[in-house]
Amino acid sequence: MKDKIIEKSNELFLNLGFKSVTMDEIANSLGISKKTLYKHFNNKTALIDAVTHHMFDTICCSIDQVCEQKMNPIDEMFHIKKVVMEHLKDEKSSPLYQLQKYYPAIYASLKKKQFHMVQKTIQDNLQRGIEGGLFRSQIDVDFISRIYFNGMIGIKDQQLFPLQKYAMNTLMNYYLEYHLRSISTLKGLTQLEHQLKNNQL
């Protein structure tokens, strides 16, 4: 039952937002009583904490599966973006922004985990890109990985990029192209153009 609660809550939170969804609505959508819901989660904050970290672990697993394929680093970045967006369903409610605003402690914990995951993934991607001649050899791998993470957090800021103007998938596409163009060699740019054509960005 606990897994079902997390799964349904995740769906509701992504579509409607952390703030909007009530414990009553979650219980009703599952066809259970609030008593049963509270048996597994003491309050809404505890449920949100479980849901967000479950989603993080799920996305990390999918990213790891992409990385295990050892495709060229530019193709890898597009595949990672694709699996992330499949899990987040284009973030109609901008959940990360709502998490930061209404549940800052959970947001801080999640951001710390995200940073370490992104650092590891992007630094490996950058290093392989340099070795394969796709990325410029003089780039600072640590600096670029941190800038990349900062930018990914930045595009989720609704004050800077309101959802009414920018769909999250569009922002991800723009940012990924921006990132790759800034570090690619001529060989890398050729591969990037191939990906952009295939993805019709």
Side-chain angles (χ1 to χ4, degrees), residues 66 73-83 173 176-177 180 191-192 195-196 199 201:
V66 172
I74 290 176
D75 290 351
E76 181 178 89
M77 291 297 291
F78 280 89
H79 278 77
I80 288 173
K81 186 219 74 170
K82 182 180 178 183
V83 299
N173 288 340
L176 184 54
E177 181 181 357
L180 291 171
Q191 183 63 31
L192 174 59
Q195 269 291 351
L196 293 173
N199 284 272
L201 298 184

Side-chain angles (χ1 to χ4, degrees), residues 50-67:
V51 167
T52 53
H53 287 89
H54 171 75
M55 175 55 73
F56 173 80
D57 291 340
T58 301
I59 291 174
C60 282
C61 183
S62 295
I63 291 174
D64 285 344
Q65 288 173 357
V66 172
C67 293

Side-chain angles (χ1 to χ4, degrees), residues 106-162:
I106 297 174
Y107 173 81
S109 172
L110 187 64
K111 184 178 178 183
K112 185 176 181 180
K113 291 177 69 174
Q114 285 180 318
F115 174 73
H116 291 299
M117 183 273 290
V118 170
Q119 280 280 92
K120 179 179 178 297
T121 303
I122 297 301
Q123 287 190 10
D124 177 72
N125 180 275
L126 292 170
Q127 199 61 54
R128 289 189 298 108
I130 291 170
E131 292 166 2
L134 295 172
F135 301 151
R136 292 182 285 109
S137 60
Q138 67 269 37
I139 63 173
D140 186 312
V141 170
D142 181 67
F143 174 77
I144 295 296
S145 66
R146 291 171 185 270
I147 284 290
Y148 179 83
F149 177 77
N150 192 58
M152 288 301 295
I153 295 296
I155 63 173
K156 296 176 188 297
D157 186 334
Q158 276 201 326
Q159 293 179 329
L160 287 174
F161 302 101

